[in-house]
Amino acid sequence: MFPAKPTSRSILFTATIFVLLIFTIYVTANEDPTVETDNEGVDSDLQELIAIDEQGGGGGEEQQQGDQQKEAEVLSKAQRIVLELNSDNARRVIDQNEFVLILGYAPWCARSAELMPQFAEAANKLKDLGSPVLMAKLDAERYPKVASTLGIKGFPTLLLFVNGTSQVYTGGFSGEDIVIWARKKTGFPVIRISSSVEAEDFQKKYHLFVLGLFDKFEGHDYEEFIKAATTDNEIQFVEVSSSSVAKILFPNINATDHFIGIVKSEPEKYIAYGGIFEKDTILQFLEYNKFPLVTILTELNSARVYSSPFKLQVIVFADSDDFKNLIQPLQEVARKFISKIMFVYIDIADENQAKPFLTLLGIEDSENTVVSAFDNRMSSKYLLESNPTPSNIEEFCSRLLHGTLSPYFKSQPIPDNKEKILQVIVGKTLDDLVLSSPKNVLLEVYTPWCINCETTTKQIEKLAKHFMGVDNLVFARIDASANEHPKLQVDDYPTLLFYPAGDKANPVKLSTKSTSKDLATVIKSLLRVKKDVPKDEL
């Protein structure tokens, strides 16, 4: 699920001591004097699930103590229901139980630590629901052979074993996501509600669900609804036969039979389905409507967002305080593009989520609000370069939707090339200084991380001095990691391109393995003006 991270024995030993130290301090601080500390009567295979949620949240000493007490209760409950696997019991547990959901983790893995509390929450909920799923975890770092046998290749990994055969986990990574996925895969794709009390209780537990209203739980339409519920991996489906019960869950429902709608906890809360009752059509409706008007990207939902069917995405980067003022007008804009454009917010201070996108746009150091867009059909990116007001964002989105928005190509600031024998080209100057220049141009395309680029650059500097007396020849270089242009598509670095004065559309690629003397010979032949070419040796 995530690539494994190799570690030395010393790192593993240090990490293990560190975890044990924190755990010892934690248990000591939260120990209930009425609870016995020995483990008599408890199955030796059942051990405590280390699921400490380290997310901070200032709320005073009482709030902190309350959170710690709640956390301790979760840990205590998880201790009784999550099985710790090892080399002795793993195969036996899988063979003797119909359903086993296993979390493969490593003590040093940050993502494993993030998933642990969610796994603990899911374990508690599934137990309360009477689920037949046995929840287990395996320290894959400590038991690598067992992990390899089970198919755990990265950390963390979730696998469901059904009668001994594994299934890859394809759900989300919150506690609720794990519960929904596990129930769907173990024969409970839909919850049936028969009374108003049940409906009201259900509303308190689920913030996203699909409602199906059928007078009878049979027939083609109902069967397609069940197929969709079984196939979907993320959303809880609920079925009712009473229109009065349905109105509790979906107040503005008009139908009395054969109705499907999705309910979300946001301003655009209720969306009714208007298509035919076919599994694939229902699932397509859900794919385009399950997200909120503006999705806040996190580690837990990132995989779901990246795999969404939306080809057009508008991504807004802002700090959390600015976003509080922007969220409402942004939702109003998003409402006008429902099912057409996906709107995503990323905290600009989030290194893991924001920086890769901002680097792609060439503005990784930006601290101000950024509005960007991506068209995944053409791998094009766009940037709102005016103030991010609601009206400007709406116009930006409209032009994106209608294909009239110009793609964005990142560029460094325009440099001062006065008295430089080797001109520095950036994305914004490639047209003027290379493609539209009346002169011949030899362009070196390089990147800072390229191993061989430094040697090539020294050659080009030497050649530039050698041909200094040739008026119709310019030597230049461009950093491809920081500059883009639609007519400069290079994947290999360094690359040398000679743009003839009379045919800029067909540059000649020169060998970077040639000696300076050989390159000089090639350049002379391309210039075809021997009288202007210097005759001294390189």
Side-chain angles (χ1 to χ4, degrees):
M1 192 172 295
F2 298 103
K5 177 178 178 181
T7 180
S8 66
R9 291 183 178 180
S10 62
I11 294 176
L12 174 59
F13 178 79
T14 303
T16 303
I17 294 299
F18 181 71
V19 170
L20 288 174
L21 179 60
I22 292 179
F23 178 66
T24 302
I25 295 172
Y26 176 85
V27 172
T28 303
N30 293 280
E31 189 173 36
D32 187 337
T34 65
V35 179
E36 296 181 3
T37 57
D38 62 30
N39 288 330
E40 292 182 6
V42 179
D43 192 313
S44 61
D45 280 339
L46 296 178
Q47 298 186 20
E48 186 161 6
L49 176 64
I50 304 174
I52 302 176
D53 187 352
E54 296 180 344
Q55 293 182 352
E61 189 173 339
E62 292 183 8
Q63 171 90 27
Q64 187 175 10
Q65 290 177 350
D67 290 345
Q68 289 178 344
Q69 183 177 357
K70 184 177 180 180
E71 187 176 88
E73 291 173 357
V74 172
L75 287 169
S76 177
K77 197 169 185 180
Q79 179 182 16
R80 298 192 298 272
I81 60 179
V82 176
L83 184 66
E84 179 74 45
L85 300 181
N86 54 48
S87 55
D88 296 326
N89 68 359
R91 193 71 256 174
R92 184 177 70 252
V93 168
I94 292 172
D95 291 341
Q96 292 180 355
N97 292 274
E98 183 179 8
F99 303 112
V100 183
L101 184 58
I102 297 176
L103 167 62
Y105 70 96
W108 49 258
C109 174
R111 291 182 182 272
S112 294
E114 292 171 359
L115 187 56
M116 280 286 190
Q118 308 303 325
F119 192 74
E121 178 185 337
N124 291 334
K125 287 185 178 179
L126 286 168
K127 183 70 174 179
D128 292 342
L129 290 168
S131 171
V133 180
L134 175 66
M135 304 288 280
K137 64 190 180 85
L138 173 72
D139 183 343
E141 183 82 353
R142 184 177 181 183
Y143 304 105
K145 290 184 179 179
V146 179
S148 178
T149 301
L150 298 182
I152 298 172
K153 300 177 181 179
F155 314 121
T157 291
L158 284 171
L159 293 174
L160 175 67
F161 285 82
V162 180
N163 293 319
T165 303
S166 67
Q167 295 182 15
V168 176
Y169 181 79
T170 55
F173 295 99
S174 70
E176 182 179 318
D177 290 335
I178 296 172
V179 170
I180 292 171
W181 188 90
R183 283 175 59 82
K184 282 175 177 280
K185 300 304 178 183
T186 55
F188 299 91
V190 179
I191 294 177
R192 181 173 296 179
I193 293 179
S194 304
S195 68
S196 300
V197 174
E198 290 177 347
E200 291 170 354
D201 184 57
F202 177 85
Q203 276 186 319
K204 297 175 183 177
K205 296 179 180 178
Y206 294 92
H207 67 279
L208 171 67
F209 60 89
V210 175
L211 169 68
L213 170 63
F214 302 92
D215 59 344
K216 295 181 179 179
F217 298 126
E218 61 184 28
H220 173 270
D221 290 0
Y222 176 70
E223 290 174 359
E224 293 299 309
F225 173 75
I226 295 297
K227 288 179 183 177
T230 305
T231 304
D232 175 78
N233 291 317
E234 301 173 1
I235 310 175
Q236 181 63 61
F237 281 56
V238 58
E239 60 185 26
V240 301
S241 59
S242 166
S243 57
S244 60
V245 173
K247 281 185 176 295
I248 295 175
L249 301 174
F250 204 106
N252 57 350
I253 187 173
N254 294 319
T256 57
D257 185 24
H258 289 232
F259 170 86
I260 295 176
I262 186 169
V263 180
K264 300 180 286 186
S265 58
E266 63 147 9
E268 198 69 18
K269 189 168 184 177
Y270 306 103
I271 304 176
Y273 174 65
I276 60 174
F277 281 70
E278 296 290 345
K279 180 196 74 174
D280 291 341
T281 309
I282 296 171
L283 291 174
Q284 185 179 38
F285 163 77
L286 297 180
E287 283 295 314
Y288 282 97
N289 290 279
K290 66 184 179 183
F291 293 99
L293 289 172
V294 179
T295 299
I296 299 175
L297 190 70
T298 65
E299 288 282 356
L300 294 177
N301 69 8
S302 59
R304 182 186 303 174
V305 172
Y306 295 148
S307 63
S308 77
F310 284 89
K311 302 304 179 184
L312 300 177
Q313 294 185 342
V314 169
I315 303 181
V316 177
F317 304 87
D319 66 36
S320 54
D321 290 334
D322 289 341
F323 183 64
K324 291 176 183 177
N325 298 323
L326 185 60
I327 178 61
Q328 187 171 350
L330 189 59
Q331 286 176 333
E332 291 300 318
V333 173
R335 185 175 281 110
K336 299 176 182 179
F337 299 93
I338 286 179
S339 300
K340 297 175 183 177
I341 298 176
M342 183 177 189
F343 287 76
V344 179
Y345 161 70
I346 303 178
D347 187 342
I348 200 167
D350 188 332
E351 287 276 326
N352 293 333
Q353 302 295 337
K355 193 161 187 178
F357 286 101
L358 296 175
T359 300
L360 190 63
L361 294 166
I363 51 175
E364 55 269 28
D365 296 326
S366 177
E367 297 179 353
N368 299 320
T369 299
V370 173
V371 178
S372 64
F374 294 85
D375 185 342
N376 296 323
R377 296 168 300 186
M378 301 181 292
S379 299
S380 298
K381 58 183 180 292
Y382 308 87
L383 184 68
L384 177 63
E385 299 190 64
S386 57
N387 292 331
T389 63
S391 59
N392 285 342
I393 295 175
E394 183 176 346
E395 181 185 1
F396 177 76
C397 295
S398 180
R399 292 181 61 195
L400 172 69
L401 182 63
H402 294 97
T404 60
L405 200 60
S406 298
Y408 172 77
F409 298 96
K410 62 183 178 181
S411 174
Q412 292 175 304
I414 298 176
D416 182 5
N417 280 319
K418 291 180 180 180
E419 299 180 358
K420 287 187 177 180
I421 61 170
L422 188 58
Q423 301 283 293
V424 176
I425 307 297
V426 297
K428 295 177 180 178
T429 62
L430 187 70
D431 280 323
D432 293 338
L433 300 183
V434 179
L435 301 180
S436 300
S437 171
K439 298 182 179 182
N440 300 282
V441 179
L442 179 62
L443 180 67
E444 176 199 1
V445 185
Y446 75 98
T447 62
W449 43 260
C450 166
I451 297 175
N452 299 320
C453 287
E454 185 176 351
T455 300
T456 301
T457 298
K458 290 180 179 179
Q459 278 187 305
I460 300 305
E461 289 174 344
K462 189 175 182 180
L463 287 166
K465 293 177 182 178
H466 178 69
F467 287 93
M468 192 179 298
V470 181
D471 293 334
N472 68 336
L473 177 61
V474 175
F475 287 83
R477 65 197 306 253
I478 184 170
D479 180 356
S481 69
N483 298 279
E484 298 172 330
H485 193 281
K487 293 184 180 179
L488 184 66
Q489 303 298 325
V490 175
D491 298 319
D492 187 27
Y493 309 105
T495 291
L496 293 178
L497 298 173
F498 184 88
Y499 290 84
D503 190 10
K504 294 299 178 71
N506 297 293
V508 180
K509 188 173 182 179
L510 306 185
S511 173
T512 56
K513 296 181 180 180
S514 300
T515 64
S516 298
K517 187 173 182 178
D518 290 339
L519 284 173
T521 301
V522 174
I523 293 170
K524 289 176 184 179
S525 66
L526 292 171
L527 289 173
R528 295 177 184 173
V529 188
K530 295 184 179 180
K531 62 180 181 180
D532 292 334
V533 177
K535 296 181 180 180
D536 55 299
E537 295 294 330
L538 282 168

